[in-house]
Amino acid sequence: MRTVSCLIFDGVRPFDYAVIGEVWANRVSRPGLPAFDLRVCGPVGARVRLGGGLERVPDAGLDALGDSDLVVVPGMEDPLAPPDPALLDALREVHARGVPIASLCAGAFLLAAAGLLDGRRATTHWWVATELAARHPAVDVDPDVLFTGDGRVWTSAGVAAGIDLCLHLVRAAHGQRAAAAIARAMVTAPFRAGGQAQFIPSPVPTETDREDPLAAVRSAVLAALDQPWTVARMARAATMAERTFARHFTAATGTPPLRWLLEQRVLAAQRLLEETDLPVDEIAVRCGFASAVSLRPVFTRRVGVAPRDYRRTFRGREA
């Protein structure tokens, strides 16, 4: 995934447009990453009026979308505004060519209007999820997740969830190291699973906050994933009662402690498979699994392939 096209049109949300640029535009501060070709596509010769009074002239026309490895549709300020038929036709043609398409926030309304979400599970910002379901009954709208997709079409919830989806797509194409480097440059969380809840009081607590006992526990766990962590042990480290700890942890991160722990262990295994020649058995132990046998089903369920296949895939891409 090297050539990424951002589709812009009147009313696009500046934040979503900026997120796409931050993730896929090349930066001197991110050495060692794949060289992305980010194209901003829209109506030829038209000055697009973004939200907030901003304007942008597209780099290329709608016909350039078909030559992309990925097309990303930002959200719009007014998702209920009638869509431009030319945009819908362009998206249908891109989809027919097999190019993956992802939408951020209310961009799902444009994909739904083009018929690309019919029969598919999709999400959008919880505030307008009911409206999306009402207008497009053939779409299976899930308002409770951060992002969802099937490899060909992806949708995400609002604001920060768009970052999560973009980083997920980078991770799937180029590995955990590339996604983590981009997240680090953006000073954002490197991994939030798509199945997490949308409405979280504090979705990305800062691990540098010395006053936050939960952040201290997360840091301790990440530094010793090979240890037999339990909710009781984490609660003791946070000097909290077990039930109190579990409740506060879930409210802060959007996922229960043990599920978060499992996700971090799989993420660490991905990183070691990409970056080292360690045997899979040793990687499993370092990440808190008893052996490769116990790692395999968990890894396969979350990543989609077995650990050895994952390593071969990314070694092949590097070659």
Side-chain angles (χ1 to χ4, degrees), residues 12-50:
V12 160
R13 295 179 70 242
F15 180 87
D16 293 349
Y17 166 73
V19 163
I20 296 166
E22 283 295 319
V23 172
W24 278 291
N26 293 309
R27 298 280 191 275
V28 295
S29 60
R30 303 192 310 212
L33 291 179
F36 297 117
D37 176 15
L38 177 63
R39 303 173 180 174
V40 178
C41 302
V44 176
R47 183 175 291 276
V48 174
R49 296 183 296 277
L50 309 179

CSV table of all heavy atoms in Angstrom, one decimal, residues 12-50:
chain,number,residue,atom,x,y,z
A,12,VAL,N,-15.9,18.9,3.4
A,12,VAL,CA,-15.1,17.9,4.1
A,12,VAL,C,-14.6,18.5,5.5
A,12,VAL,O,-14.3,19.6,5.6
A,12,VAL,CB,-13.9,17.5,3.3
A,12,VAL,CG1,-12.8,16.9,4.1
A,12,VAL,CG2,-14.3,16.5,2.2
A,13,ARG,N,-14.6,17.6,6.5
A,13,ARG,CA,-14.1,18.1,7.8
A,13,ARG,C,-12.6,18.2,7.8
A,13,ARG,O,-11.9,17.3,7.4
A,13,ARG,CB,-14.5,17.1,8.9
A,13,ARG,CG,-16.0,17.0,9.1
A,13,ARG,CD,-16.3,15.9,10.2
A,13,ARG,NE,-15.9,16.4,11.5
A,13,ARG,CZ,-15.0,15.8,12.3
A,13,ARG,NH1,-14.4,14.8,11.8
A,13,ARG,NH2,-14.7,16.3,13.5
A,14,PRO,N,-12.1,19.4,8.2
A,14,PRO,CA,-10.7,19.6,8.1
A,14,PRO,C,-9.9,18.7,9.0
A,14,PRO,O,-8.8,18.3,8.6
A,14,PRO,CB,-10.5,21.1,8.7
A,14,PRO,CG,-11.8,21.7,8.4
A,14,PRO,CD,-12.8,20.6,8.5
A,15,PHE,N,-10.4,18.2,10.1
A,15,PHE,CA,-9.7,17.3,11.0
A,15,PHE,C,-9.4,16.0,10.3
A,15,PHE,O,-8.3,15.5,10.3
A,15,PHE,CB,-10.5,17.1,12.3
A,15,PHE,CG,-9.8,16.1,13.2
A,15,PHE,CD1,-8.9,16.6,14.2
A,15,PHE,CD2,-10.0,14.8,13.2
A,15,PHE,CE1,-8.2,15.7,15.0
A,15,PHE,CE2,-9.4,13.9,14.1
A,15,PHE,CZ,-8.4,14.4,15.0
A,16,ASP,N,-10.5,15.4,9.6
A,16,ASP,CA,-10.3,14.2,9.0
A,16,ASP,C,-9.3,14.3,7.8
A,16,ASP,O,-8.4,13.4,7.6
A,16,ASP,CB,-11.6,13.7,8.4
A,16,ASP,CG,-12.6,13.3,9.5
A,16,ASP,OD1,-12.2,13.2,10.7
A,16,ASP,OD2,-13.8,13.1,9.2
A,17,TYR,N,-9.4,15.4,7.1
A,17,TYR,CA,-8.4,15.7,6.0
A,17,TYR,C,-7.0,15.7,6.5
A,17,TYR,O,-6.1,15.2,5.9
A,17,TYR,CB,-8.8,17.0,5.3
A,17,TYR,CG,-7.8,17.5,4.4
A,17,TYR,CD1,-7.5,16.9,3.1
A,17,TYR,CD2,-7.1,18.6,4.7
A,17,TYR,CE1,-6.5,17.4,2.3
A,17,TYR,CE2,-6.1,19.2,3.9
A,17,TYR,CZ,-5.8,18.5,2.7
A,17,TYR,OH,-4.9,19.1,1.8
A,18,ALA,N,-6.8,16.4,7.7
A,18,ALA,CA,-5.5,16.5,8.3
A,18,ALA,C,-5.0,15.2,8.8
A,18,ALA,O,-3.8,14.9,8.7
A,18,ALA,CB,-5.6,17.5,9.4
A,19,VAL,N,-5.9,14.3,9.3
A,19,VAL,CA,-5.5,13.0,9.8
A,19,VAL,C,-4.9,12.2,8.7
A,19,VAL,O,-3.8,11.5,8.8
A,19,VAL,CB,-6.6,12.3,10.4
A,19,VAL,CG1,-6.4,10.8,10.6
A,19,VAL,CG2,-7.0,12.8,11.8
A,20,ILE,N,-5.5,12.2,7.5
A,20,ILE,CA,-5.0,11.4,6.4
A,20,ILE,C,-3.7,11.9,6.0
A,20,ILE,O,-2.8,11.1,5.7
A,20,ILE,CB,-6.1,11.5,5.2
A,20,ILE,CG1,-7.4,10.9,5.6
A,20,ILE,CG2,-5.5,10.9,4.0
A,20,ILE,CD1,-8.5,11.2,4.7
A,21,GLY,N,-3.5,13.2,6.0
A,21,GLY,CA,-2.2,13.8,5.6
A,21,GLY,C,-1.1,13.4,6.6
A,21,GLY,O,0.0,13.1,6.3
A,22,GLU,N,-1.5,13.5,7.9
A,22,GLU,CA,-0.5,13.1,9.0
A,22,GLU,C,-0.1,11.7,8.9
A,22,GLU,O,1.1,11.4,9.2
A,22,GLU,CB,-1.1,13.4,10.4
A,22,GLU,CG,-1.1,14.9,10.7
A,22,GLU,CD,0.3,15.5,10.9
A,22,GLU,OE1,1.1,14.8,11.4
A,22,GLU,OE2,0.5,16.6,10.4
A,23,VAL,N,-0.9,10.8,8.5
A,23,VAL,CA,-0.6,9.4,8.5
A,23,VAL,C,0.2,9.0,7.3
A,23,VAL,O,1.2,8.3,7.3
A,23,VAL,CB,-1.9,8.5,8.6
A,23,VAL,CG1,-1.5,7.0,8.4
A,23,VAL,CG2,-2.5,8.7,10.0
A,24,TRP,N,-0.2,9.5,6.1
A,24,TRP,CA,0.3,9.0,4.8
A,24,TRP,C,1.3,10.0,4.1
A,24,TRP,O,2.0,9.6,3.2
A,24,TRP,CB,-0.8,8.6,3.9
A,24,TRP,CG,-1.2,7.2,4.2
A,24,TRP,CD1,-0.5,6.0,4.0
A,24,TRP,CD2,-2.5,6.8,4.8
A,24,TRP,NE1,-1.3,4.9,4.5
A,24,TRP,CE2,-2.5,5.4,4.9
A,24,TRP,CE3,-3.6,7.5,5.1
A,24,TRP,CZ2,-3.6,4.7,5.4
A,24,TRP,CZ3,-4.7,6.8,5.6
A,24,TRP,CH2,-4.7,5.4,5.8
A,25,ALA,N,1.3,11.2,4.6
A,25,ALA,CA,2.3,12.1,3.9
A,25,ALA,C,3.7,11.8,4.4
A,25,ALA,O,3.9,11.5,5.6
A,25,ALA,CB,1.9,13.6,4.2
A,26,ASN,N,4.7,11.9,3.6
A,26,ASN,CA,6.1,11.7,4.0
A,26,ASN,C,6.6,12.8,4.9
A,26,ASN,O,6.3,14.0,4.6
A,26,ASN,CB,7.0,11.5,2.7
A,26,ASN,CG,6.6,10.3,1.9
A,26,ASN,OD1,6.5,9.2,2.5
A,26,ASN,ND2,6.4,10.4,0.6
A,27,ARG,N,7.3,12.4,5.9
A,27,ARG,CA,7.9,13.4,6.8
A,27,ARG,C,9.3,13.1,7.1
A,27,ARG,O,9.7,11.9,7.3
A,27,ARG,CB,7.1,13.3,8.2
A,27,ARG,CG,5.6,13.6,8.1
A,27,ARG,CD,5.4,15.2,8.1
A,27,ARG,NE,4.0,15.5,8.3
A,27,ARG,CZ,3.1,15.5,7.3
A,27,ARG,NH1,3.5,15.2,6.1
A,27,ARG,NH2,1.8,15.8,7.5
A,28,VAL,N,10.2,14.1,7.2
A,28,VAL,CA,11.6,13.9,7.5
A,28,VAL,C,11.8,13.4,8.9
A,28,VAL,O,12.8,12.8,9.2
A,28,VAL,CB,12.4,15.2,7.3
A,28,VAL,CG1,12.4,15.6,5.8
A,28,VAL,CG2,11.8,16.3,8.2
A,29,SER,N,10.8,13.6,9.7
A,29,SER,CA,10.8,13.1,11.1
A,29,SER,C,10.5,11.7,11.3
A,29,SER,O,10.5,11.1,12.4
A,29,SER,CB,9.9,14.0,12.0
A,29,SER,OG,8.5,13.8,11.5
A,30,ARG,N,10.2,11.0,10.2
A,30,ARG,CA,9.8,9.6,10.2
A,30,ARG,C,10.7,8.8,9.3
A,30,ARG,O,10.2,8.2,8.3
A,30,ARG,CB,8.3,9.4,9.9
A,30,ARG,CG,7.4,10.2,10.7
A,30,ARG,CD,6.0,9.9,10.6
A,30,ARG,NE,5.5,9.8,9.2
A,30,ARG,CZ,4.2,10.1,8.9
A,30,ARG,NH1,3.4,10.5,9.8
A,30,ARG,NH2,3.8,10.0,7.7
A,31,PRO,N,12.0,8.7,9.5
A,31,PRO,CA,12.9,8.0,8.7
A,31,PRO,C,12.7,6.5,8.8
A,31,PRO,O,12.2,5.9,9.8
A,31,PRO,CB,14.3,8.3,9.2
A,31,PRO,CG,14.1,8.6,10.7
A,31,PRO,CD,12.7,9.3,10.7
A,32,GLY,N,12.9,5.8,7.7
A,32,GLY,CA,12.8,4.3,7.7
A,32,GLY,C,11.4,3.8,7.3
A,32,GLY,O,11.2,2.6,7.2
A,33,LEU,N,10.5,4.7,7.1
A,33,LEU,CA,9.1,4.3,6.8
A,33,LEU,C,9.0,4.1,5.2
A,33,LEU,O,9.8,4.7,4.5
A,33,LEU,CB,8.1,5.3,7.3
A,33,LEU,CG,7.9,5.4,8.8
A,33,LEU,CD1,6.9,6.5,9.1
A,33,LEU,CD2,7.5,4.1,9.4
A,34,PRO,N,8.0,3.4,4.8
A,34,PRO,CA,7.7,3.3,3.4
A,34,PRO,C,7.5,4.7,2.7
A,34,PRO,O,7.0,5.6,3.4
A,34,PRO,CB,6.5,2.4,3.3
A,34,PRO,CG,6.4,1.7,4.6
A,34,PRO,CD,7.0,2.6,5.6
A,35,ALA,N,7.9,4.8,1.5
A,35,ALA,CA,7.7,6.1,0.8
A,35,ALA,C,6.3,6.1,0.3
A,35,ALA,O,6.0,5.5,-0.7
A,35,ALA,CB,8.7,6.3,-0.3
A,36,PHE,N,5.4,6.8,0.9
A,36,PHE,CA,4.0,6.9,0.5
A,36,PHE,C,3.8,8.0,-0.6
A,36,PHE,O,4.5,9.0,-0.6
A,36,PHE,CB,3.1,7.3,1.6
A,36,PHE,CG,3.1,6.2,2.7
A,36,PHE,CD1,3.5,6.5,4.0
A,36,PHE,CD2,2.6,4.9,2.5
A,36,PHE,CE1,3.5,5.6,5.0
A,36,PHE,CE2,2.6,4.0,3.4
A,36,PHE,CZ,3.0,4.3,4.7
A,37,ASP,N,2.9,7.7,-1.5
A,37,ASP,CA,2.5,8.7,-2.5
A,37,ASP,C,1.1,9.1,-2.2
A,37,ASP,O,0.1,8.4,-2.5
A,37,ASP,CB,2.6,8.1,-3.9
A,37,ASP,CG,2.1,9.1,-5.0
A,37,ASP,OD1,1.9,10.3,-4.7
A,37,ASP,OD2,1.8,8.7,-6.1
A,38,LEU,N,0.9,10.2,-1.5
A,38,LEU,CA,-0.4,10.7,-1.1
A,38,LEU,C,-1.0,11.7,-2.1
A,38,LEU,O,-0.4,12.7,-2.3
A,38,LEU,CB,-0.4,11.3,0.3
A,38,LEU,CG,-1.7,11.9,0.8
A,38,LEU,CD1,-2.8,10.8,1.0
A,38,LEU,CD2,-1.5,12.7,2.1
A,39,ARG,N,-2.1,11.3,-2.7
A,39,ARG,CA,-2.7,12.2,-3.7
A,39,ARG,C,-4.0,12.8,-3.1
A,39,ARG,O,-4.8,12.0,-2.4
A,39,ARG,CB,-3.1,11.4,-4.9
A,39,ARG,CG,-1.9,10.7,-5.6
A,39,ARG,CD,-2.5,9.8,-6.7
A,39,ARG,NE,-1.4,9.1,-7.4
A,39,ARG,CZ,-1.6,8.2,-8.4
A,39,ARG,NH1,-2.9,8.0,-8.7
A,39,ARG,NH2,-0.6,7.6,-9.0
A,40,VAL,N,-4.3,14.0,-3.3
A,40,VAL,CA,-5.5,14.6,-2.9
A,40,VAL,C,-6.3,14.8,-4.2
A,40,VAL,O,-6.0,15.6,-5.1
A,40,VAL,CB,-5.3,16.0,-2.2
A,40,VAL,CG1,-6.6,16.7,-1.9
A,40,VAL,CG2,-4.4,15.8,-1.0
A,41,CYS,N,-7.4,14.0,-4.3
A,41,CYS,CA,-8.2,14.0,-5.5
A,41,CYS,C,-9.6,14.6,-5.3
A,41,CYS,O,-10.2,14.5,-4.2
A,41,CYS,CB,-8.4,12.5,-5.9
A,41,CYS,SG,-6.9,11.7,-6.2
A,42,GLY,N,-10.1,15.2,-6.3
A,42,GLY,CA,-11.4,15.9,-6.3
A,42,GLY,C,-11.8,16.3,-7.7
A,42,GLY,O,-11.2,16.0,-8.7
A,43,PRO,N,-12.9,17.0,-7.8
A,43,PRO,CA,-13.4,17.6,-9.1
A,43,PRO,C,-12.2,18.4,-9.7
A,43,PRO,O,-11.6,19.2,-9.1
A,43,PRO,CB,-14.5,18.5,-8.7
A,43,PRO,CG,-15.0,17.9,-7.4
A,43,PRO,CD,-13.8,17.4,-6.7
A,44,VAL,N,-12.0,18.1,-11.0
A,44,VAL,CA,-10.9,18.7,-11.7
A,44,VAL,C,-11.1,20.2,-11.8
A,44,VAL,O,-12.1,20.7,-12.2
A,44,VAL,CB,-10.8,18.1,-13.2
A,44,VAL,CG1,-9.7,18.9,-14.0
A,44,VAL,CG2,-10.5,16.7,-13.1
A,45,GLY,N,-10.0,20.9,-11.4
A,45,GLY,CA,-10.0,22.4,-11.5
A,45,GLY,C,-10.8,23.1,-10.5
A,45,GLY,O,-10.9,24.4,-10.6
A,46,ALA,N,-11.5,22.4,-9.6
A,46,ALA,CA,-12.4,23.1,-8.7
A,46,ALA,C,-11.7,23.4,-7.4
A,46,ALA,O,-10.9,22.6,-6.9
A,46,ALA,CB,-13.6,22.2,-8.4
A,47,ARG,N,-12.0,24.5,-6.8
A,47,ARG,CA,-11.5,24.9,-5.5
A,47,ARG,C,-12.4,24.3,-4.5
A,47,ARG,O,-13.6,24.8,-4.4
A,47,ARG,CB,-11.3,26.4,-5.4
A,47,ARG,CG,-10.7,26.8,-4.1
A,47,ARG,CD,-10.4,28.3,-4.1
A,47,ARG,NE,-9.4,28.7,-5.0
A,47,ARG,CZ,-8.1,28.7,-4.7
A,47,ARG,NH1,-7.7,28.3,-3.5
A,47,ARG,NH2,-7.2,29.0,-5.6
A,48,VAL,N,-12.0,23.3,-3.7
A,48,VAL,CA,-12.9,22.7,-2.8
A,48,VAL,C,-12.9,23.5,-1.5
A,48,VAL,O,-11.9,23.9,-1.0
A,48,VAL,CB,-12.4,21.3,-2.5
A,48,VAL,CG1,-13.2,20.6,-1.4
A,48,VAL,CG2,-12.5,20.4,-3.8
A,49,ARG,N,-14.2,23.7,-1.0
A,49,ARG,CA,-14.4,24.5,0.2
A,49,ARG,C,-14.5,23.5,1.4
A,49,ARG,O,-15.6,22.8,1.5
A,49,ARG,CB,-15.6,25.3,0.1
A,49,ARG,CG,-15.5,26.4,-0.9
A,49,ARG,CD,-16.7,27.3,-1.0
A,49,ARG,NE,-17.9,26.6,-1.3
A,49,ARG,CZ,-18.2,26.3,-2.6
A,49,ARG,NH1,-17.5,26.8,-3.6
A,49,ARG,NH2,-19.3,25.7,-2.9
A,50,LEU,N,-13.4,23.3,2.2
A,50,LEU,CA,-13.5,22.5,3.3
A,50,LEU,C,-14.3,23.2,4.4
A,50,LEU,O,-14.6,24.4,4.4
A,50,LEU,CB,-12.1,22.1,3.8
A,50,LEU,CG,-11.1,21.6,2.8
A,50,LEU,CD1,-9.8,21.3,3.5
A,50,LEU,CD2,-11.6,20.3,2.1
